[in-house]
Amino acid sequence: MKDSLNRILRRKRYWVLAIVSVCLLTGYFCRRPILRAAYGFLDVGQTPTVPYDYALILGGEPLDRPAAAADLYKEGRVKQLSCTGSQVPRPLAAVGIRLTEAEAAKQRLLQLGVPEEAIILLPEATSTREEVNALNTYFKDKRRSSLLLITTQSHTRRALGVFKEYADTW
């Protein structure tokens, strides 16, 4: 009885190991289509076709996001740019630059030719939710109009969800 039970358990272990191995190998060989599908799911962003009064540059990418925002500003698609983020990005800290994400984004915008009067600094946020709260606080007593979120493609679905949940009406 004990020997037959051990044989059954060994066979089950063998089949479980075989199934897990096949799944891992399939995942490895199909990784590109899987990752493309995941990336496609996460990217819900759109290139703006109409002008916006404000753009919120979310923290996290102090070089790429401001560059995209500067292009939109120069094309006349955005009138004012808001920079957020209170954390010091690791790549900047590694080379001894102690600028917050908001300050680094502002410096990048200035380098790219955006005038200082077109930049709003909101340096108190450490997350997307806090960035939305900072935006809500800034615009509490100001006229609201159109707003564009600027983030990386793989962050658009999450950012949009957080914004819809926590932002005051725009």
Side-chain angles (χ1 to χ4, degrees):
M1 174 93 172
K2 201 172 190 181
D3 287 337
S4 66
L5 182 60
N6 282 338
R7 263 187 269 131
I8 291 170
L9 289 176
R10 266 189 261 132
R11 281 188 205 147
K12 283 188 177 182
R13 283 187 209 135
Y14 170 78
W15 283 108
V16 167
L17 181 62
I19 290 169
V20 168
S21 297
V22 167
C23 289
L24 288 173
L25 286 171
T26 302
Y28 176 77
F29 287 115
C30 297
R31 69 187 180 278
R32 285 197 174 127
I34 291 170
L35 291 172
R36 282 190 190 116
Y39 192 80
F41 171 77
L42 294 173
D43 181 9
V44 295
Q46 300 173 359
T47 302
T49 56
V50 297
Y52 286 82
D53 291 325
Y54 298 96
L56 177 63
I57 305 169
L58 298 177
E61 294 285 336
L63 298 176
D64 297 335
R65 293 175 186 176
D71 289 344
L72 293 170
Y73 179 83
K74 290 175 184 177
E75 293 168 5
R77 295 185 188 188
V78 177
K79 295 177 185 173
Q80 292 262 217
L81 302 169
S82 303
C83 303
T84 62
S86 65
Q87 298 175 342
V88 176
R90 287 184 185 154
L92 296 182
V95 294
I97 300 172
R98 303 293 305 166
L99 294 175
T100 65
E101 293 168 331
E103 294 164 338
K106 179 181 178 181
Q107 289 303 312
R108 181 82 170 125
L109 289 170
L110 292 171
Q111 288 173 348
L112 294 170
V114 176
E116 190 160 358
E117 57 272 6
I119 303 170
I120 301 166
L121 202 62
L122 303 173
E124 56 273 340
T126 61
S127 68
T128 305
R129 183 176 176 181
E130 289 180 11
E131 289 171 322
V132 172
N133 291 340
L135 188 73
N136 288 337
T137 301
Y138 180 81
F139 282 101
K140 185 177 183 180
D141 299 325
K142 294 177 180 59
R143 183 181 80 78
R144 293 172 186 242
S145 51
S146 56
L147 175 73
L148 176 68
L149 293 178
I150 299 178
T151 188
T152 49
Q153 291 174 314
S154 61
H155 185 241
T156 55
R157 180 174 293 276
R158 190 177 84 69
L160 187 59
V162 170
F163 195 86
K164 284 181 177 179
E165 186 172 349
Y166 296 105
D168 293 342
T169 306
W170 274 87

